[in-house]
């Protein structure tokens, strides 16, 4: 009986402690574990005794659902020391440009506002290098630098003597032994001189404890020396509060948890592989400094040196609430601190100059509505699953990758200047449902953040006419009611958009705002969105063009010319006639019945008109056609006149953010698979 009672007690304790669950897409479950989400992988500790040590991993893409649920046992304090290599400084520090990049009313950035800079007036808009000519922005080959490793005991007992070791690119630089005990929450530093070398080098500092510890994964820190140097400013009270519980890092300290997030950020950089970045993002970040503050506001002010510059490339500040300033600190919610704080890599992305792409999302305006039901024409970005649109667990997008790869060795401080990276010639290729050119179509471009100046002159560039917009620094306007440019497609369905005049500017990163279709585009994205209306005859189709679309092509190497293909639902000259009287009727159990009539024709027997089948389409939302396009859901024989749509089975997995309007259409299929234009049913609004 005693043995059975002990087994039951141990089983109950195990159930109490082990509670994370991972559900895989293939139906398998991993239960009673401790998991960390790192964006590209899930790290798993299978028992409490393994927490803080090496973990096994599974690919993040295999995971359907991750549920983290910890009990009080997770926060039980082991009576052990715990040495942590919290960060490695690199001195002398290089200056950054945070706080000294200023913007004028028409969105031009200029470096100014610090004693260390050369004030070259308005020349600064085109010659930014002159402003920083007295600054050392890079280390010189052979220059002696100092590496300073910080070691802290974040356990609950004094740490006895330990050995330590320096490595560069995995090769030993030196080491030693520290003999005296290190008390709880006490810190030591270890310095090493090194002569700077070209290339991308990684420094490692590791400690070798002489007794058991709470964790081993914090015994080593490896930093990319080419990484952007970040600072953290945190109240001493907050650090003490974090020492009272265990976080997702597996340890009892603020430093391990937030250093881990920089490791996650670097992992996501490496995973951000695109045509413009076939090896991922080569830029990296590193934690160069932690400021433990009695007064956070004063500590932040002290980051700026007497010469007016901050010697860092960005960082993060944990501000204090009025209660916290009075010493009233509460534990952070366990559910939150045992998960990944995905907002931090996103916010630190801003420190590197990356913008919020949700600024390109658009809820629509009554000036531009769908002709069938009056829905506002909305826009939700086509690639939202990226770090700078959502938070995590996502990689960064292709424009981020191109930008960071082009500027990994430049000081930080600019924001969104890569919006200026637009090909010199932007050509729209308008095609029909069969991919054939649509000649003679009228193309009108309406731009968010602008209003056409009724007193302004018009201009002409190629086949496009453009109109003067009001320049008053207000980028918050909706999409312009009047077109900012218009033109007609040529015989090949092509139209080069006008390069509208701009106030020119060049940044230290090498990006220039010259004449372009978006005009005086700003760096936040307010003017980075255009609604394009394509009209042939009495029928129009609406599309959205983001500056982001053009930035991607620029980073792929299309700096002189790019083409954007817009596929309309129009028929070709050799298409069969469209079906008639198309309707969509709600039915039971999540079904809709789509009905149509055979296309009317007065030339029966002509092979162009012979219908060999029908294709049924569905699209959801009132976004632009290139945002949420028509999706074929059924191909039927020529005798069919209806189709019962299973709404759940035919819903394309996408983000339908602004509207859930259901739209259905039918095309007739002619000889050689040629389709007619889409005949649309009146939409069904959910």
């Amino acid at each position: 009986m005693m043995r059975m009672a002990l087994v039951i007690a141990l089983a109950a304790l195990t159930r109490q402690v082990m509670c994370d669950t991972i559900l895989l897409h293939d139906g398998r479950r991993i239960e009673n574990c401790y998991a960390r989400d790192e964006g590209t992988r899930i790290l798993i500790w299978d028992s409490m005794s393994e927490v803080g040590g090496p973990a096994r991993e599974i690919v993040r893409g295999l995971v359907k659902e991750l549920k983290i649920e910890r009990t009080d046992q997770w926060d039980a304090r082991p009576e052990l020391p715990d040495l942590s290599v919290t960060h490695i400084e690199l001195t002398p520090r290089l200056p950054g440009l945070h706080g000294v990049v200023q913007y004028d009313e028409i969105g031009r950035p200029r470096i100014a506002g610090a004693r260390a800079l050369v004030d070259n007036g308005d020349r600064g808009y085109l010659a930014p290098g002159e402003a920083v000519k007295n600054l050392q922005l890079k280390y010189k080959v052979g220059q002696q630098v100092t590496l300073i490793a910080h070691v802290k005991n974040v356990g609950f007992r004094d740490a006895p003597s330990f050995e330590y070791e320096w490595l560069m690119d995995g090769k030993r630089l030196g080491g030693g032994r520290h003999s005296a005990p290190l008390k709880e929450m006490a810190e030591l530093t270890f310095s090493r001189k090194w002569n700077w070398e070209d290339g991308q080098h990684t420094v490692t500092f590791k400690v070798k404890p002489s007794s058991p510890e709470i964790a081993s994964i914090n015994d080593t820190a490896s930093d990319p020396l080419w990484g952007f140097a970040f600072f953290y400013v945190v109240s001493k009270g907050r650090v003490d509060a974090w020492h009272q519980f265990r976080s997702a890092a597996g340890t009892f300290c603020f430093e391990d948890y937030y250093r881990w997030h920089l490791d996650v950020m670097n992992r996501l950089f490496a995973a951000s592989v695109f045509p413009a970045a076939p090896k991922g993002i080569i830029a990296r970040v590193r934690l160069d400094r932690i400021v433990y503050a009695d007064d956070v506001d004063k500590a932040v002010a002290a980051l700026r040196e007497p010469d007016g510059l901050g010697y860092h490339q960005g960082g993060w500040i944990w501000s204090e609430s009025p209660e916290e300033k009075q010493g009233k600190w509460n534990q952070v919610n366990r559910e939150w601190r045992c998960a990944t704080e995905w907002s931090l890599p996103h916010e630190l992305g801003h420190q590197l100059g990356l913008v919020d792409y949700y600024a390109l999302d658009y809820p629509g305006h009554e000036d531009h509505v769908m002709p069938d039901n009056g829905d506002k024409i909305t826009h939700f970005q086509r690639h939202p699953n990226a770090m700078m649109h959502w938070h995590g667990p996502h990689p960064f997008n292709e424009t981020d990758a191109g930008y960071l790869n082009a500027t990994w060795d430049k000081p930080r401080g600019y924001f969104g200047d890569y919006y200026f990276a637009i090909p010199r010639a932007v050509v729209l290729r308008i095609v029909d449902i069969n991919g054939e050119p649509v000649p003679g179509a009228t193309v009108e471009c309406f731009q968010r953040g602008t209003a056409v100046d009724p007193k302004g002159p018009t201009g002409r560039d190629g086949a496009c006419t453009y109109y003067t917009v009001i320049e008053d620094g207000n980028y918050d306007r909706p999409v312009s009611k009047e077109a900012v440019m218009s033109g007609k497609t040529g015989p090949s369905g092509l139209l080069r958009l006008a390069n509208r005049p701009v106030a020119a500017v060049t940044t230290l990163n090498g990006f220039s705002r010259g004449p372009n279709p978006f005009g005086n585009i700003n760096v936040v994205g307010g003017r980075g969105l255009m609604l394009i209306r394509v009209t042939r005859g009495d029928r129009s189709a609406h599309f959205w063009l983001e500056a982001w679309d053009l930035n991607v092509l620029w980073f792929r190497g299309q700096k002189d010319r790019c083409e954007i293909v817009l596929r309309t639902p129009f028929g070709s000259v050799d298409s069969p006639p469209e079906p008639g009287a198309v309707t969509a009727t709600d039915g039971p159990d999540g079904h809709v019945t789509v009905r149509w009539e055979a296309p009317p024709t007065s030339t029966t027997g002509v092979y162009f008109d012979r219908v060999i089948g029908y294709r049924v389409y569905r699209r959801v939302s009132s976004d632009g056609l290139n945002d949420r396009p028509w999706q074929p859901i059924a191909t039927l024989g020529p005798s069919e006149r209806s189709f019962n749509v299973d709404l759940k089975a035919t819903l394309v997995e996408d983000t339908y953010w602004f509207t859930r309007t259901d739209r259905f259409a039918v095309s007739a299929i002619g000889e050689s698979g040629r389709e007619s234009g889409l005949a649309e049913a009146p939409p069904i609004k959910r």
Side-chain angles (χ1 to χ4, degrees):
M1 290 293 291
M2 287 281 292
R3 178 179 176 82
M4 181 174 292
L6 179 61
V7 169
I8 293 172
L10 288 174
L13 180 62
T14 300
R15 286 195 299 272
Q16 179 189 15
V17 176
M18 304 176 66
C19 46
D20 291 2
T21 302
I22 302 169
L23 175 62
L24 304 182
H25 284 290
D26 64 7
R28 290 179 294 159
R29 297 171 69 90
I30 302 172
E31 299 179 305
N32 295 331
C33 65
Y34 302 95
R36 299 201 316 183
D37 189 349
E38 299 196 339
T40 64
R41 66 180 183 179
I42 303 292
L43 292 185
I44 301 171
W45 292 305
D46 289 308
S47 67
M48 197 69 197
S49 63
E50 295 179 359
V51 170
R56 65 188 179 97
E57 65 178 78
I58 58 174
V59 176
R60 184 65 174 78
L62 300 176
V63 176
K64 182 178 181 180
E65 182 180 345
L66 170 62
K67 183 179 181 181
I68 295 177
E69 189 176 9
R70 309 276 165 86
T71 66
D72 290 344
Q73 187 64 28
W74 173 254
D75 290 327
R77 299 183 183 183
E79 297 301 316
L80 294 169
D82 191 14
L83 294 176
S84 173
V85 185
T86 60
H87 63 293
I88 303 172
E89 296 182 64
L90 173 59
T91 63
R93 294 186 173 91
L94 300 178
L97 300 177
H98 283 282
V100 295
V101 179
Q102 304 175 3
Y103 298 85
D104 70 0
E105 190 178 62
I106 47 179
R108 292 184 300 174
R110 181 172 71 97
I111 302 170
R115 288 172 50 194
L117 302 171
V118 175
D119 187 352
N120 58 349
D122 285 350
R123 278 185 52 79
Y125 292 118
L126 295 174
E130 294 179 4
V132 298
K133 67 180 183 180
N134 295 332
L135 304 182
Q136 182 184 350
L137 301 178
K138 298 180 181 180
Y139 295 109
K140 300 174 183 177
V141 174
Q143 179 180 354
Q144 189 176 80
V145 298
T146 302
L147 301 162
I148 306 170
H150 290 247
V151 178
K152 189 173 183 179
N153 178 11
V154 297
F156 302 98
R157 286 290 181 268
D158 290 357
S161 62
F162 59 89
E163 295 179 352
Y164 62 88
E165 184 178 27
W166 286 98
L167 300 98
M168 186 66 69
D169 300 328
K171 296 180 181 179
R172 180 181 169 88
L173 285 179
R177 182 179 183 83
H178 177 77
S179 299
L182 187 62
K183 293 187 175 298
E184 178 182 350
M185 296 297 278
E187 183 184 61
L188 292 168
T189 59
F190 300 85
S191 298
R192 179 79 189 184
K193 302 292 185 183
W194 186 66
N195 292 330
W196 190 262
E197 298 176 6
D198 265 343
Q200 295 173 333
H201 301 284
T202 300
V203 64
T204 299
F205 186 85
K206 61 173 60 177
V207 297
K208 300 177 181 178
S210 60
S211 67
E213 292 195 306
I214 294 174
S216 62
I217 55 173
N218 54 0
D219 291 343
T220 301
S222 291
D223 274 0
L225 291 182
W226 74 95
F228 296 118
F230 280 158
F231 67 81
Y232 284 164
V233 177
V234 58
S235 167
K236 294 175 182 177
R238 188 180 301 274
V239 173
D240 290 341
W242 274 76
H243 187 48
Q244 308 310 311
F245 52 73
R246 195 191 301 259
S247 73
T251 62
F252 291 79
C253 76
F254 170 92
E255 294 88 346
D256 288 349
Y257 181 77
Y258 283 108
R259 178 185 169 85
W260 167 53
H261 280 73
L262 297 191
D263 294 336
V264 170
M265 196 169 178
N266 285 332
R267 173 171 289 278
L268 293 173
F269 280 168
S272 301
V273 176
F274 299 99
K279 295 183 179 179
I281 296 174
I282 61 175
R284 294 291 185 269
V285 294
R286 59 183 181 85
L287 181 55
D288 183 72
R289 187 181 182 190
I290 302 177
V291 179
Y292 300 100
D294 292 311
D295 185 310
V296 170
D297 295 335
K298 289 183 179 179
V300 172
L303 289 173
R304 193 159 298 280
E305 299 295 331
D307 64 4
L309 299 177
Y311 283 73
H312 56 76
Q313 305 306 321
W316 200 244
I317 302 158
W318 282 265
S319 299
E320 298 168 291
S321 67
E323 294 78 16
E324 290 168 343
K325 288 181 178 180
Q326 297 174 8
K328 299 176 182 178
W329 293 91
N330 295 317
Q331 277 201 3
V332 178
N333 175 277
R334 182 186 292 136
E335 180 182 3
W336 178 85
R337 60 178 156 84
C338 288
T340 312
E341 188 179 334
W342 289 115
S343 60
L344 184 61
H346 174 99
E347 297 301 333
L348 291 176
H350 290 321
Q351 297 289 293
L352 301 181
L354 306 180
V355 303
D356 282 319
Y357 294 107
Y358 55 74
L360 295 173
D361 299 335
Y362 184 64
H365 188 271
E366 55 266 21
D367 285 341
H368 299 282
V369 299
M370 298 291 291
D372 50 14
N373 69 344
D375 272 2
K376 297 174 183 176
I377 302 173
T378 55
H379 171 66
F380 193 78
Q381 219 204 10
R382 290 181 286 280
H383 309 289
N385 294 326
M387 179 59 69
M388 300 310 294
H389 187 280
W390 298 135
H391 288 174
H394 304 302
F396 294 80
N397 72 25
E398 189 169 2
T399 298
D400 297 339
Y403 177 59
L404 292 177
N405 281 351
T407 63
W408 66 269
D409 59 347
K410 301 288 194 306
R412 300 292 92 184
Y414 283 101
F415 186 76
D417 57 323
Y418 54 94
Y419 267 138
F420 301 158
I422 293 177
R424 294 180 184 89
V426 177
V427 178
L428 300 184
R429 180 181 291 274
I430 311 300
V431 300
D432 62 28
I433 195 170
N434 296 301
E436 296 296 328
V438 181
T442 298
V443 177
E444 299 164 284
C445 300
F446 308 84
Q447 186 178 10
R448 194 174 68 169
T450 65
V452 173
D453 185 349
K455 300 179 181 179
T458 61
R460 186 82 177 174
D461 183 23
C464 259
T465 299
Y466 60 87
Y467 308 92
T468 302
V469 299
I470 297 171
E471 298 286 7
D472 58 2
N474 181 4
Y475 299 116
D476 294 329
R477 291 183 172 94
V479 169
S480 59
K481 186 173 183 178
E482 294 84 18
V484 298
M485 77 174 88
S486 62
K488 283 187 177 292
T489 57
S492 299
L494 301 179
L495 176 66
R496 180 178 66 79
L497 296 181
N499 283 328
R500 294 153 62 195
V502 300
V505 65
T506 296
T507 72
L508 196 64
N509 286 325
F511 301 104
S512 296
R513 185 175 74 182
N516 73 90
F518 286 88
N520 283 319
I521 188 171
N522 70 321
V523 297
V524 178
R527 283 193 173 179
L529 185 65
M530 278 191 183
L531 176 63
I532 298 178
R533 181 167 67 199
V534 180
T535 303
R536 187 182 72 177
D538 60 355
R539 188 171 185 185
S540 295
H542 295 87
F543 305 86
W544 291 100
L545 178 65
E546 296 179 2
W548 187 92
D549 301 321
L550 308 181
N551 301 150
V552 167
L553 298 177
W554 192 93
F555 282 118
R556 289 182 186 180
Q558 299 178 39
K559 298 180 181 181
D560 290 326
R561 184 183 187 276
C562 73
E563 277 192 15
I564 301 291
V565 178
L566 301 180
R567 182 169 178 167
T568 69
F570 308 154
S572 306
V573 294
D574 55 353
S575 291
E578 296 178 7
V582 180
T583 60
T585 307
D586 265 326
D589 302 323
H591 285 71
V592 164
T593 300
V594 179
R595 295 182 174 85
W596 61 93
E597 295 178 359
T601 177
S602 59
T603 55
T604 303
V606 174
Y607 60 85
F608 279 169
D609 293 349
R610 191 170 76 87
V611 174
I612 63 172
Y614 295 98
R615 187 157 289 138
V616 181
Y617 287 82
R618 181 188 184 191
R619 90 178 187 102
V620 177
S621 87
S622 295
D623 289 357
L625 275 173
N626 53 337
D627 296 335
R628 307 290 175 284
W630 288 104
Q631 303 289 342
I633 57 175
T635 301
L636 308 168
S639 61
E640 300 294 332
R641 296 293 182 271
S642 68
F643 180 71
N644 190 27
V645 181
D646 184 333
L647 295 179
K648 184 176 181 180
T650 59
L651 181 65
V652 173
E653 184 176 342
D654 205 335
T655 305
Y656 305 107
W657 189 259
F658 292 113
T659 66
R660 297 278 302 190
T661 298
D662 247 325
R663 301 176 181 279
F664 299 91
V666 181
S667 71
I669 305 174
E671 294 279 351
S672 303
R674 217 60 160 169
E675 287 187 65
S676 72
L678 291 187
E680 299 180 32
I684 301 174
K685 192 166 186 176
R686 304 295 175 192

